[in-house]
Amino acid sequence: MTSLSDLSQLTGYSKATVSRAISGNGYVSKEARALILKVAQDLDYATNAIAQDLASGRSRNIGVVLPYVKAPFFRQVLEGILEKNFETGYKIVILPSNYNPKLEIHYLEQFRKKAFEALIFTSLQVSEATILDYQKYGPIILCHKPHSELIPASYVERKPGYHKVFQWLKEQQCSKVGFLLSRDVSPTTSVTLQAYEEVYGMKIKARQVKTGSVVPDDGYQLAPQLTEFDSIFANSDDIAANVWRWFDEQKLPKPLIVGQDCLLSGHLLNLPTVDNHYLDVGRSAFELAISKEIKQLATRSEFIRKR
Amino acid sequence: MTSLSDLSQLTGYSKATVSRAISGNGYVSKEARALILKVAQDLDYATNAIAQDLASGRSRNIGVVLPYVKAPFFRQVLEGILEKNFETGYKIVILPSNYNPKLEIHYLEQFRKKAFEALIFTSLQVSEATILDYQKYGPIILCHKPHSELIPASYVERKPGYHKVFQWLKEQQCSKVGFLLSRDVSPTTSVTLQAYEEVYGMKIKARQVKTGSVVPDDGYQLAPQLTEFDSIFANSDDIAANVWRWFDEQKLPKPLIVGQDCLLSGHLLNLPTVDNHYLDVGRSAFELAISKEIKQLATRSEFIRKR
DNA sequence: GTGAAAGCGCTAACAA
DNA sequence: TTGTTAGCGCTTTCAC
């Protein structure tokens, strides 16, 4: 555990000179540098990152709050963040929230204590007011469209892709569209239903919508409730694929099944899908996190009919 | 940016008393505490995590080195780590290596500078000698079986599961087994071929083995070279599924295809698989990281014929 | 070119 | 119960 003082003592130079020699900031004579570096080498000296952080007042940590890593959305957003972060010198810290607002608050508190220089929320349980509150401690980025204009965000503009989906389903003469969604109320849910209503020009009926569709197997579990439809819009390829599997096993005629997120499962079964470009969401979220600009970046989703 | 000193000045109490009041360590009179906490509240005071780290000499960071997050192995090991870490107070820092030894060294150097209290390598490019070298700075855990007994590790004991695979293939009268592997030389490769040779009692022939099978699509690309086999052992369900897809598209009779890792793709197509329990590998790796014990934990793989 | 000294913000041993 | 003091290890002015 060699420290700067040790080097200072052993070389006879002051801590300041040693610091300069080691860090390379400021003038040091050739001989001094040589000696100091040599002794440092011999003693296996390394600067203490924590002390540097304290002295410079920065942690270079960026926290990424996410409920879990399995889901395509969270996984890919994370991937985008890591990609952009590559070799920037920031450390990406994973903060699992499990959708628990208490935990989110806990992370916000750590943020307040300067444990992180920025926070990226891939999912938010606490209120936007709370976020607005904590913004004074640094950049907090959301990964969905906030109500407030004052919160930086990087999100998917889903409408365009969804419109295309429903236009296509309409062209295919589909008149009974069923929906698989995760929750009753969520921004994604409302934009989905809105797009449908705009294209089909009719209000959606409650029975068209099945919620509780989160993990792949939910597709299999919910499929029996979908026999009345001629088409299904699922919230993920993995789920869509499991709907397909149920119909396949039952030897029932299959409805048109549209998935999302361009996953392997959908590819294998040749299901149409929506590419939501989550990677880009992650990339932009990272940019926002280090830029300290308050702006909102939208990435447009894209309907992929054939692959 | 209120600091302890500010509180000390404003309340008239010493920094020590304020520190005690805030942290809850040590005696403070009711009145003192009340006053101090009130002023702290009013000033929106928060202890500085970096300063605490410096004073306590710990970062509470654990670095996880991984080439990328897409692959099931890395993703699931990470998941296991995060799960075990949940609410321990450690911060899990993702260190993408891209299989680049230079980067690995870079992270080891940060480790030396106390940026991390422990390091988990899910994949290792640098030599074990290098790891042995850096061990003096703290625990470094590997996620494959090391040659040296002196390096803590959590890994999959693949032999048992693989044996079962080949026994089953033999029972099914498969006499021409093809292999899809990522690299020519790797611990996994050799254990795979060894298991085959032990069960079949014969040397493997070079033409049975196709390498360069890494991402799902590689299965599709390599499939045309597999027509001579009556069975295929692939290194992942995703890859196995793509082999299946190619045969399906060509309307060729399908060989028995065995995958690995219990992924959705294999499930959809009802392919036999090997569960390598990567989650457990991650969980144990984390335990090792905080335990500072030098031991090696093996998780046995498991053949899953029907699901 | 170099060094003294003052911080960064907090903790902890010891005294009072 | 509280305060004094001395760090933790490094950076950075500002003189010399």
Side-chain angles (χ1 to χ4, degrees), chain A residues 44-45 47 49 54 69-70 75 79 86 92-94 103 112-113 137 238 241-242 245 264 267-268, chain B residues 44-45 47 49 54 69-70 75 79 86 92-94 103 112-113 137 238 241-242 245 264 267-268:
Chain A
D44 191 35
Y45 169 80
T47 57
L54 176 60
V69 261
K70 295 180 249 279
R75 201 168 52 66
E79 238 175 86
F86 200 61
I92 300 295
V93 181
I94 304 291
L103 276 170
R112 191 162 86 94
K113 297 186 179 191
Y137 308 113
D238 281 353
N242 270 305
R245 185 163 68 88
L264 177 62
H267 191 41
L268 285 170
Chain B
D44 191 34
Y45 169 80
T47 57
L54 176 60
V69 260
K70 295 181 249 282
R75 200 169 53 67
E79 239 176 83
F86 200 61
I92 300 295
V93 181
I94 304 290
L103 275 170
R112 190 162 87 91
K113 297 186 180 190
Y137 308 113
D238 281 354
N242 270 305
R245 185 163 67 89
L264 177 63
H267 190 41
L268 286 170

Side-chain angles (χ1 to χ4, degrees), chain B residues 109-168:
Chain B
E109 276 301 302
Q110 304 236 86
F111 180 54
R112 190 162 87 91
K113 297 186 180 190
K114 307 218 176 313
F116 310 106
E117 291 188 24
L119 231 35
I120 298 176
F121 277 84
T122 62
S123 151
L124 189 71
Q125 296 304 303
V126 302
S127 71
E128 283 190 14
T130 307
I131 298 300
L132 253 5
D133 238 41
Y134 278 90
Q135 268 186 310
K136 54 173 166 285
Y137 308 113
I140 306 180
I141 288 57
L142 300 192
C143 293
H144 66 254
K145 188 179 167 77
H147 296 106
S148 163
E149 309 262 292
L150 300 172
I151 305 179
S154 165
Y155 61 91
V156 181
E157 184 71 85
R158 304 176 113 94
K159 264 280 186 64
Y162 289 5
H163 263 156
K164 289 271 168 52
V165 169
F166 297 121
Q167 275 157 10
W168 182 73

